[in-house]
Amino acid sequence: MNNKKVLALGLSALMLGSVLAGCGKSDSKPEAKAEAPKYTFRLAETHPADYPTTLGDKKFADLVAERSNGRIKINVFHSAQLGEEKSVIEQVQMGSIEFTRVSSSPLAEFNKAFGVFSLPYIFDSEAHEWKFLESDYAKQMLTNLEKSKFIGLAYYDSGSRSFYTKNKVTGPADLKGMKIRVQQNKINMDLIQALGASATPMPYGEVFSGLQTGVIDGAENNAPSYLTANHFQAVKYYVLDAHQRVPEVLMASKATWDKLSAEDRKLIQQAATDSIKFQREAWNKFDKEALDKLKTQGVTVTEVKDVKPWQAAVKPVIDKYNADFKTELEAIAKARN
Ligand code: GTR
């Protein structure tokens, strides 16, 4: 904890340093004279500095700084410097961290509707997913986060999640008996159970050692996470079953929001919306690069030509939660057309 604090302080000093250095440049238009920050906020991010979500966060922070003329400063703390996702979400809820970018999956434990994204095979494609994420329904889901003391600002892309394991998996039956790490929510546990494997929920930062020591036999994620968290160094089989598409969420603490003027809220919301395009482009580029890199690093990538056996195996999960997510699933089906 102390080490993290020292690291965080060092990083803020560094960031401050670069802002001051920036001020020295003589490209100043008269109206661009930066004001001293009135607000300095922290944004918690679990991924490393060059990961596509972090790039999105930074774009968002840059737009806010630029448009507020330096008055609102958001420092991005990447690489889980402020803690693992579940604890970060709790701190954002309490108002001790002002902003974060998290996965919908752990968020579902705080706001039930977001659990819909943990259901398997609800989207046909990236296009279908984004048609839904841009719909009024999905926007309303962000707005409804307010009841849980969050202000939902934007969805970011996270591609699709697939299994990576110690032994080769080609079909769902191969997962039987394996211990698989899942993101911390109930639906994920049911999903693993439906596949005859045993689910081990654990924070992201513990997965690497879990895989190395054999506490778990595998996990599941998109290619960028499998690569950048170094999980591929511990387990080398990746089967592209794409069981989930779990969007990322950029959000603020309601406690922070309540202190801001209407104009500042508008500015921050617009910056978040405007950062989406940049994040999605960064995502698509890195998603492909990551898969290529995994292959060159000795990972055996197994394509799934027929997804039907996978869909059939996890159908009990849909059956179990169909009624709970009736309206969400209807809105998702509507976005298919
Ligand atoms: C990643 C996601 C992270 C984290 C991680 C996990 O895809 O971007 O925020 O939730 O998965 O599996 O814990």
Side-chain angles (χ1 to χ4, degrees):
M1 193 59 206
N2 270 343
N3 278 348
K4 274 188 181 161
K5 273 190 184 152
V6 171
L7 189 68
L9 277 175
L11 207 90
S12 330
L14 251 173
M15 284 172 160
L16 188 67
S18 57
V19 167
L20 292 178
C23 290
K25 283 184 199 149
S26 59
D27 58 353
S28 49
K29 298 179 203 108
E31 71 278 15
K33 199 164 166 274
E35 291 175 33
K38 177 175 177 193
Y39 299 110
T40 303
F41 295 136
R42 300 186 299 171
L43 188 159
E45 166 64 65
T46 205
H47 289 300
D50 52 357
Y51 191 95
T53 51
T54 317
L55 298 178
D57 306 335
K58 286 183 186 158
K59 181 74 183 176
F60 162 61
D62 285 350
L63 290 174
V64 170
E66 198 180 295
R67 294 172 185 178
S68 69
N69 206 14
R71 210 166 37 77
I72 308 174
K73 189 161 162 46
I74 300 175
N75 293 323
V76 176
F77 289 85
H78 56 79
S79 308
Q81 292 169 66
L82 302 182
E84 296 287 344
E85 279 186 336
K86 188 167 173 245
S87 121
V88 162
I89 298 173
E90 282 163 1
Q91 293 179 71
V92 171
Q93 196 172 44
M94 289 183 313
S96 50
I97 295 178
E98 294 87 5
F99 291 88
T100 190
R101 188 292 310 160
V102 288
S103 165
S104 295
S105 197
L107 186 57
E109 297 290 285
F110 298 78
N111 187 286
K112 200 178 140 264
F114 281 77
V116 75
F117 298 121
S118 292
L119 293 176
Y121 300 110
I122 54 168
F123 296 116
D124 302 341
S125 60
E126 180 189 337
H128 178 203
E129 179 188 357
W130 276 93
K131 193 159 172 223
F132 174 70
L133 295 180
E134 285 165 355
S135 71
D136 289 343
Y137 194 95
K139 283 183 192 148
Q140 188 61 44
M141 281 173 68
L142 287 180
T143 308
N144 291 348
L145 279 172
E146 191 162 352
K147 290 185 216 143
S148 315
K149 298 197 169 12
F150 309 116
I151 302 297
L153 297 170
Y155 292 106
Y156 279 171
D157 208 339
S158 187
S160 61
R161 299 177 73 98
S162 293
F163 291 102
Y164 42 86
T165 45
K166 195 170 85 179
N167 300 320
K168 189 168 180 178
V169 169
T170 53
D174 298 330
L175 282 166
K176 285 215 167 73
M178 285 193 189
K179 282 174 285 174
I180 303 289
R181 178 268 174 174
V182 288
Q183 287 174 296
Q184 291 154 293
N185 91 24
K186 172 103 183 30
I187 300 167
N188 287 324
M189 311 232 357
D190 289 326
L191 178 74
I192 299 301
Q193 239 160 45
L195 291 162
S198 83
T200 310
M202 63 167 73
Y204 190 52
E206 289 170 21
V207 179
F208 179 69
S209 68
L211 290 169
Q212 251 191 347
T213 56
V215 169
I216 44 175
D217 304 312
E220 44 77 66
N221 222 313
N222 49 47
S225 293
Y226 181 28
L227 177 75
T228 58
N230 289 323
H231 298 169
F232 74 96
Q233 286 177 3
V235 294
K236 299 255 180 215
Y237 291 98
Y238 195 29
V239 58
L240 302 181
D241 64 288
H243 50 271
Q244 292 168 331
R245 301 190 71 90
V246 184
E248 315 281 15
V249 177
L250 182 66
M251 61 185 199
S253 171
K254 182 171 173 346
T256 306
W257 205 247
D258 288 346
K259 291 179 199 140
L260 296 172
S261 68
E263 297 88 85
D264 284 348
R265 290 181 191 173
K266 208 171 148 208
L267 185 154
I268 292 172
Q269 175 59 71
Q270 194 57 48
T273 305
D274 293 346
S275 71
I276 298 171
K277 186 168 174 277
F278 180 87
Q279 193 277 336
R280 288 188 64 190
E281 280 165 11
W283 176 264
N284 282 321
K285 185 165 174 279
F286 190 63
D287 197 19
K288 287 184 197 79
E289 281 171 14
L291 193 63
D292 289 344
K293 222 166 181 176
L294 286 166
K295 288 178 188 163
T296 61
Q297 296 288 325
V299 168
T300 302
V301 176
T302 306
E303 304 276 343
V304 171
K305 297 216 170 63
D306 183 11
V307 86
K308 287 198 195 78
W310 289 90
Q311 288 173 327
V314 295
K315 172 110 187 333
V317 184
I318 298 282
D319 294 343
K320 179 170 174 185
Y321 290 101
N322 225 335
D324 291 351
F325 294 104
K326 192 169 177 288
T327 55
E328 288 83 4
L329 288 170
E330 275 166 11
I332 288 170
K334 221 172 119 197
R336 191 168 275 125
N337 308 313

